[in-house]
Amino acid sequence: MTAVLAGSTLQLPPLALYVHIPWCVRKCPYCDFNSHAASPELPEDAYVSALLSDLDQDLPYVQGRQLASIFFGGGTPSLFSAVALGRLLEGVAARIPFAQGIEITLEANPGTFEQAKFVAYRKLGINRLSIGVQSFEAAKLKRLGRIHSGDEALRAAEMARRAGFDNFNLDLMHGLPEQTLEQALDDLRQAIALAPTHLSWYQLTLEPNTVFWNQPPPLPEDDTLWDIQEAGQALLNEHGFIQYEVSAYARAGHQARHNLNYWSFGDFIGIGAGAHGKLTHPDGTVRRTWKTRLPKDYLNLAKPFKAGDKVLPAEELPFEFLMNALRLTEGVEAALFPARTGLPLASLGAARRQAEQKGLLEVEPARLVATPQGQLFLNDLLQYFLN
């Protein structure tokens, strides 16, 4: 939908839905996501009811659009049964029409317990899996607190394919504790051999409020990290995986549409404990929203689902837009900036010229795209657009 809102150059962008399932079997020491150790019995039915009630409150912001994509993230969404996810998808479809060819992604652990559900998930219309492998090496998996084995990770891709998933991502980390260049490349070679259509390959970072932040493991030296990055990118390119975002690599035609919507400043409704959203409101304002974080509070229907809401003021929109768009290796068409923000392209003015002069932004009037140097030093590039 490309309707222009009254009195503005702002256009309604594509609409996506993010669904947060906040439970995991065990919290990993590097994880800063809103995830919580699961009890033996998950409150699936109550949580699905809460999700649909949460969605009902955001329906005014759909504004006649169809859903282009749905993403189940977590936590570990594959802990939920197909029955529960089927009820949720039916409820969503009854409220918002699905676009033809909608992409529906589910994050899944590679454990045998999750693999057994893959066929049922595919029958629901879920057509893309994102499998959290992280590593194939037993010692590294143990250090990361993962509960699956390397063999289970290898089997998961085959199980996904047998279940009818011809589009799946493998999530893989590098720069793991005491990891060598050869160990990192061996992980990557094993992932490539499983023939995924997409690879999320990114460096382990120590985030606040995690076990690793408080008890840092010995990570590789900077020179080793740089060697891993360079050699890994060359290996991925050699095997037909094209880098299209900072940590995303895909075979031709298999870029993650849901994530592309994030990075091109599209709209997304976020439902679930701690879920975030970004929505263009009928009055033309662009807002970020976030939902109550703790599952027990989210399930308490006497409390509001929404924990916060912030209008993005005009002076912050350039940074917010470019923080996402410049992650893409090919950037975006310059015309997308006024379409998504309602601001004239000229408002980037002096900051854009300074970034170009510093060699961080390409001198391309029709596109907004970081140079290779700008991609490496993205935070430095974005500083030009802070007010």
Side-chain angles (χ1 to χ4, degrees):
M1 181 169 182
T2 57
V4 179
L5 296 179
S8 171
T9 59
L10 189 69
Q11 296 178 0
L12 281 175
L15 181 67
L17 175 67
Y18 174 75
V19 183
H20 192 74
I21 309 291
W23 290 284
C24 287
V25 173
R26 184 172 64 198
K27 182 86 170 179
C28 296
Y30 60 85
C31 178
D32 68 335
F33 295 140
N34 184 34
S35 59
H36 306 266
S39 59
E41 292 292 329
L42 288 174
E44 288 188 340
D45 194 54
Y47 195 71
V48 169
S49 294
L51 287 168
L52 293 173
S53 295
D54 186 359
L55 180 59
D56 284 336
Q57 294 184 10
D58 283 341
L59 289 180
Y61 313 121
V62 173
Q63 301 185 77
R65 289 174 288 184
Q66 297 179 329
L67 279 179
S69 64
I70 300 173
F71 193 101
F72 291 94
T76 307
S78 54
L79 291 179
F80 265 39
S81 68
V83 171
L85 295 184
R87 180 181 159 224
L88 176 59
L89 283 170
E90 287 177 6
V92 173
R95 290 161 170 82
I96 311 175
F98 289 5
Q100 186 174 2
I102 184 174
E103 176 191 87
I104 305 178
T105 301
L106 178 84
E107 287 186 339
N109 270 350
T112 302
F113 170 73
E114 286 87 352
Q115 292 176 34
K117 304 177 186 176
F118 286 179
V119 171
Y121 290 150
R122 187 66 189 91
K123 288 179 179 177
L124 296 178
I126 295 169
N127 51 24
R128 185 174 182 271
L129 287 182
S130 181
I131 304 172
V133 171
Q134 312 313 350
S135 177
F136 295 94
E137 186 184 340
K140 294 294 185 282
L141 288 169
K142 183 177 180 180
R143 197 66 178 271
L144 292 173
R146 304 295 289 176
I147 60 172
H148 66 270
S149 68
D151 286 343
E152 284 179 317
L154 292 170
R155 286 197 299 269
E158 180 58 30
M159 288 295 292
R161 200 174 285 108
R162 287 184 185 178
F165 288 97
D166 56 5
N167 186 16
F168 66 92
N169 169 66
L170 296 181
D171 224 39
L172 197 67
M173 287 184 177
H174 61 86
L176 304 181
E178 300 179 299
Q179 189 177 48
T180 65
L181 169 62
E182 193 53 39
Q183 286 173 334
L185 292 181
D186 188 53
D187 265 351
L188 199 50
R189 291 187 192 103
Q190 290 188 72
I192 291 169
L194 295 175
T197 50
H198 191 285
L199 272 165
S200 298
W201 187 63
Y202 55 95
Q203 183 181 321
L204 170 65
T205 56
L206 305 186
E207 302 291 349
N209 303 314
T210 65
V211 172
F212 274 4
W213 179 264
N214 295 312
Q215 302 170 33
L219 298 181
E221 298 291 335
D222 286 346
D223 287 348
T224 301
L225 292 172
W226 180 256
D227 290 344
I228 290 171
Q229 187 74 29
E230 282 200 318
Q233 287 179 332
L235 183 64
L236 285 161
N237 186 63
E238 177 187 339
H239 286 85
F241 288 90
I242 306 304
Q243 184 181 17
Y244 69 98
E245 188 267 343
V246 171
S247 58
Y249 303 78
R251 296 195 183 279
H254 287 90
Q255 295 91 338
R257 282 184 272 154
H258 187 84
N259 289 341
L260 281 173
N261 188 54
Y262 286 155
W263 296 323
S264 59
F265 214 50
D267 276 2
F268 56 98
I269 295 172
I271 59 173
H276 285 241
K278 176 257 170 183
L279 293 165
T280 305
H281 282 222
D283 63 4
T285 59
V286 179
R287 297 170 183 248
R288 293 205 180 275
T289 62
W290 52 98
K291 303 301 172 63
T292 188
R293 184 177 175 84
L294 293 177
K296 66 179 180 62
D297 293 336
Y298 187 83
L299 287 167
N300 182 353
L301 300 185
K303 293 186 177 182
F305 295 110
K306 185 183 289 185
D309 179 288
K310 178 189 176 183
V311 176
L312 296 179
E315 61 270 19
E316 292 182 14
L317 284 172
F319 178 83
E320 288 278 343
F321 177 89
L322 293 170
M323 176 178 65
N324 292 281
L326 295 181
R327 291 180 63 92
L328 296 168
T329 55
E330 295 184 359
V332 296
E333 292 183 4
L336 197 65
F337 177 76
R340 293 286 193 269
T341 66
L343 300 175
L345 189 60
S347 64
L348 296 177
R352 185 181 184 185
R353 289 190 294 273
Q354 287 176 331
E356 290 171 348
Q357 290 165 5
K358 291 291 185 180
L360 299 175
L361 201 64
E362 297 283 6
V363 183
E364 288 194 28
R367 293 196 73 78
L368 294 166
V369 55
T371 63
Q373 185 80 351
Q375 283 272 310
L376 285 174
F377 300 100
L378 189 56
N379 287 339
D380 292 339
L381 168 53
L382 291 171
Q383 292 302 310
Y384 288 98
F385 301 95
L386 273 174
N387 283 296

